[in-house]
Amino acid sequence: MADVNVTSDMVCQGRSTSISTFWAETFPVAAVATALSVLRTGFVFGLTNNLYHLPIVAGLYNEPQYQDDGFIQSLRYFASGVWLVLSGVEKYFDHIPLLFFILFFLSRLVCFVGFLCCATLLGVTERRDKIVFSLIVCFTAFLDGYSYAGSGGLFINYFTHSEMANGVALLAIYFGARGRYTAAVVAVGITAFINAFFAAWLVPPLVLIGIYHLSQRRTTIGQLSLRVLIGSVLSLPFLLVVLHGFLANPEFGHPLDIDFRSFLRQYFPGHFLIGSTSIGDIVGLLGVTLVGALAFFWPKRVAPELRAAYLGAILVYLIGIVLPSLTGSPILINLHLLRSGTVIHLLAALAIAALATNWLRRDGEATFLPACLVVLFLTFEGWTGLAFVAAVLIFVFRTGVAGPAPSYQRTAGYLVLAITVFVACPLAIRSGVNFNRLCDEAVAEWTDIGRWARLNTPSTAMFLTPRRPELEGRPEVSLADMALDRAGVFEFVSHRRIWVDFKRGGSSVLTPSYYRIWRPRMTDVDGLNSLAERMAYASRNGIGYVVDICQGPETGSGLLYRTKRLCVFSTGADRPAARKDTSPTADRSAG
């Protein structure tokens, strides 16, 4: 059968059906599951990594006030095809929050399509089973947020390009498992267009699938090579776009002023260096990996190709552990191999959700109650929930539970399901809603300040924003601290420059010359412990405006504008102060 004929694959069935089955069953289930998942995680515009994305969408690097801004200019070379396509789109579409939400929803939708396609290889083929499987995935706690010990994005609450690759990666693995190597390579090419690092993570899983097929004589080296070659040719346009994005950067391949590993320790080692990872995160990843391994390997299951892919994902992560100790090469280390734990999480969730779905189908058998417990424990956050899931699986597999279930076990199982549906899931949704409310309020304050700045300050104005608080590991975060950490939307709304921000340090990877600007400024700003010190520092460096947490209801010296928690002060260093921006775009809504 020709590899380019993927009709039977696109319906995501383990049996031969028509393409209409995909639209009649799989796609509607995926769409409803996506809506429920979005309700679970929520959506907030302008968070964290959007600090990089929003200036690209606004095309700030083309505006005159940013011509000597090292951070903004570095974003010209942000070599993801997503942002290359969206560069400057604000000129043509004012409703950027709506655009981000649509892309966010579509990204999650593709992920659920990928999950459902792979699940057919594990016996989830009937509509009822697809619904149950999707509901389990929606409320699997270890898919909420970021992967353990690597911080790869899973089901997060804002739009960014990397999470778009999750679903495409699952489809690549699905096509590879079905022996559709051309389609698998094209999916890898699309993944590279979205995120080149993610595409590199897929190579070992797909290679192991190919080796398995060769060992089983399901294909030959010649057939496999030909189909991979065809897929590579079809992927070439995607790859050329990304390659051009890298090569257009005049500083591509230039070294940093310091050892790359030392820079990562200063900035964000979590994606790269296992020694900087907390014990809790390592235990969490081990728990996820164990649960996935039990669900994939212990029982005699179908789809050995998925087991091969799982081993490949683990192999990538293990390489990521040892690589920084073997080389200091920025190109190799910057593959973000610890972040590839994302693939382990996705495949582990696939395996355990499919196993639970298959057990739930047989409510008259002894595995029904264990399946209900697994579904409940999957909603628990942290490694304790994973430990409970693993304990249930080990108990079932070691004791060989089989045969009909006593009536009291069926009753207990339905009671556990009721607790899951009516208590655990609503609590999870409420937790997400409460957190997103804090984020929304903080983003709204920065949006207000951005609008004020755009209308009341010179286009060349410079702002010193608050020092980033440490939010990780804190059981409770005040809204004031949340507001400090949500300044990413300010520059997009205001079109006004920021002196320095911790998260901007990542641009040193794009343009190493920016490190010479970022590091000294961060060192200086981190040493400022009061508003008076910040005002004096800003004045010495020609920074006209300082944003800080308001200390009280009283109007302080130099106060120009305030929101509920944030105050803007003038240092007098930016002249003329409070001049309204009269540029043609000054009255446009920026967000």
Side-chain angles (χ1 to χ4, degrees):
M1 183 183 297
D3 189 52
V4 293
N5 181 9
V6 295
T7 300
S8 64
D9 293 283
M10 289 305 295
V11 298
C12 303
Q13 299 294 320
R15 60 192 187 280
S16 177
T17 58
S18 67
I19 192 69
S20 61
T21 306
F22 173 76
W23 296 107
E25 290 188 6
T26 303
F27 186 80
V29 172
V32 173
T34 298
L36 182 59
S37 178
V38 168
L39 175 64
R40 162 73 180 90
T41 63
F43 170 77
V44 181
F45 174 71
L47 292 185
T48 57
N49 281 347
N50 285 163
L51 176 82
Y52 294 96
H53 311 142
L54 291 175
I56 297 173
V57 171
L60 295 186
Y61 34 65
N62 295 320
E63 298 187 3
Q65 66 270 31
Y66 289 104
Q67 294 311 300
D68 60 350
D69 189 299
F71 169 72
I72 295 297
Q73 291 303 316
S74 74
L75 299 180
R76 291 182 182 274
Y77 313 113
F78 200 107
S80 164
V82 175
W83 302 115
L84 294 173
V85 170
L86 294 177
S87 176
V89 74
E90 189 194 17
K91 295 179 181 177
Y92 313 104
F93 187 76
D94 282 338
H95 305 289
I96 300 302
L98 175 61
L99 174 63
F100 272 42
F101 176 76
I102 292 172
L103 294 172
F104 173 81
F105 190 91
L106 292 176
S107 173
R108 191 72 57 86
L109 176 61
V110 173
C111 194
F112 272 97
V113 169
F115 268 123
L116 286 166
C117 286
C118 289
T120 61
L121 303 174
L122 296 170
V124 181
T125 56
E126 303 299 328
R127 180 181 297 176
R128 170 189 175 275
D129 292 342
K130 292 177 182 178
I131 293 171
V132 172
F133 169 84
S134 298
L135 289 174
I136 295 173
V137 170
C138 280
F139 291 96
T140 297
F142 67 78
L143 288 179
D144 184 28
Y146 299 89
S147 64
Y148 291 111
S151 300
L154 295 160
F155 289 170
I156 60 176
N157 63 341
Y158 71 104
F159 170 68
T160 182
H161 65 288
S162 294
E163 286 64 48
M164 294 181 72
N166 290 340
V168 184
L170 288 172
L171 289 172
I173 292 171
Y174 169 75
F175 287 132
R178 291 297 305 273
R180 305 303 186 187
Y181 309 118
T182 296
V185 173
V186 170
V188 173
I190 295 172
T191 304
F193 178 82
I194 297 169
N195 186 323
F197 310 137
F198 210 131
W201 308 339
L202 291 176
V203 173
L206 292 176
V207 167
L208 289 185
I209 290 174
I211 292 174
Y212 173 78
H213 285 167
L214 288 171
S215 70
Q216 298 297 307
R217 297 185 178 180
R218 291 179 52 180
T219 187
T220 66
I221 292 179
Q223 291 173 332
L224 191 152
S225 300
L226 177 61
R227 294 172 182 180
V228 169
L229 178 62
I230 294 172
S232 300
V233 172
L234 294 176
S235 300
L236 198 57
F238 299 111
L239 300 177
L240 288 176
V241 169
V242 176
L243 185 62
H244 178 268
F246 281 115
L247 297 181
N249 183 352
E251 295 191 38
F252 178 68
H254 288 197
L256 278 166
D257 291 343
I258 63 170
D259 177 71
F260 190 65
R261 289 164 294 195
S262 299
F263 162 70
L264 294 176
R265 293 186 184 95
Q266 293 176 355
Y267 180 58
F268 190 81
H271 287 331
F272 311 91
L273 306 176
I274 194 66
S276 300
T277 304
S278 70
I279 295 298
D281 259 12
I282 292 174
V283 171
L285 180 62
L286 289 174
V288 170
T289 306
L290 174 62
V291 165
L294 289 171
F296 268 131
F297 290 92
W298 196 316
K300 187 174 179 60
R301 304 293 305 281
V302 295
E305 296 89 350
L306 291 181
R307 297 200 291 269
Y310 194 63
L311 289 175
I314 295 172
L315 176 62
V316 173
Y317 193 88
L318 292 176
I319 293 172
I321 291 176
V322 302
L323 185 65
S325 64
L326 301 177
T327 178
S329 168
I331 294 178
L332 293 177
I333 295 177
N334 207 34
L335 290 174
H336 295 67
L337 293 184
L338 295 190
R339 193 172 163 190
S340 71
T342 299
V343 183
I344 298 176
H345 280 66
L346 293 172
L347 292 178
L350 165 70
I352 188 60
L355 180 63
T357 300
N358 289 325
W359 283 356
L360 288 171
R361 184 191 303 124
R362 302 184 292 272
D363 64 348
E365 298 186 12
T367 52
F368 178 68
L369 176 57
C372 297
L373 291 171
V374 165
V375 173
L376 174 62
F377 294 147
L378 283 174
T379 67
F380 291 7
E381 295 184 0
W383 62 267
T384 52
L386 292 166
F388 286 139
V389 172
V392 172
L393 294 180
I394 292 172
F395 172 79
V396 173
F397 298 148
R398 286 186 61 85
T399 57
V401 174
S407 59
Y408 72 88
Q409 287 191 12
R410 294 179 61 187
T411 301
Y414 282 114
L415 178 61
V416 171
L417 281 183
I419 293 172
T420 304
V421 173
F422 296 108
V423 179
C425 293
L427 285 176
I429 292 174
R430 188 180 72 172
S431 174
V433 168
N434 289 339
F435 179 75
N436 288 325
R437 177 181 56 80
L438 295 177
C439 294
D440 278 325
E441 290 184 21
V443 170
E445 290 200 49
W446 279 106
T447 301
D448 287 344
I449 290 178
R451 287 173 177 158
W452 173 86
R454 190 162 186 179
L455 293 174
N456 295 279
T457 65
S459 62
T460 55
M462 180 76 75
F463 284 76
L464 179 63
T465 54
R467 185 169 59 185
R468 179 178 182 264
E470 287 296 330
L471 302 181
E472 298 296 331
R474 292 172 52 178
E476 295 183 3
V477 179
S478 71
L479 189 53
D481 282 346
M482 189 74 70
L484 285 176
D485 200 41
R486 296 300 183 262
V489 74
F490 168 77
E491 204 156 18
F492 168 73
V493 176
S494 67
H495 289 229
R496 300 297 183 267
R497 292 177 296 163
I498 289 177
W499 177 249
V500 72
D501 177 89
F502 174 80
K503 202 165 185 66
R504 292 170 178 242
S507 277
S508 300
V509 176
L510 297 174
T511 51
S513 61
Y514 181 63
Y515 180 80
R516 303 179 202 125
I517 300 171
W518 173 77
R519 189 61 202 172
R521 290 183 179 182
M522 281 304 306
T523 301
D524 291 344
V525 170
D526 283 344
L528 305 175
N529 298 312
S530 67
L531 175 60
E533 290 181 1
R534 291 166 57 77
M535 292 284 286
Y537 173 82
S539 181
R540 289 195 304 271
N541 288 276
I543 303 169
Y545 303 91
V546 173
V547 183
D548 212 332
I549 292 291
C550 299
Q551 301 302 312
E554 302 83 6
T555 301
S557 174
L559 179 66
L560 297 177
Y561 183 76
R562 69 171 296 160
T563 61
K564 184 176 181 180
R565 295 168 181 84
L566 296 171
C567 286
V568 183
F569 300 90
S570 172
T571 67
D574 202 349
R575 301 295 184 184
R579 178 173 62 84
K580 184 174 181 178
D581 185 356
T582 57
S583 64
T585 59
D587 59 346
R588 288 182 56 209
S589 172

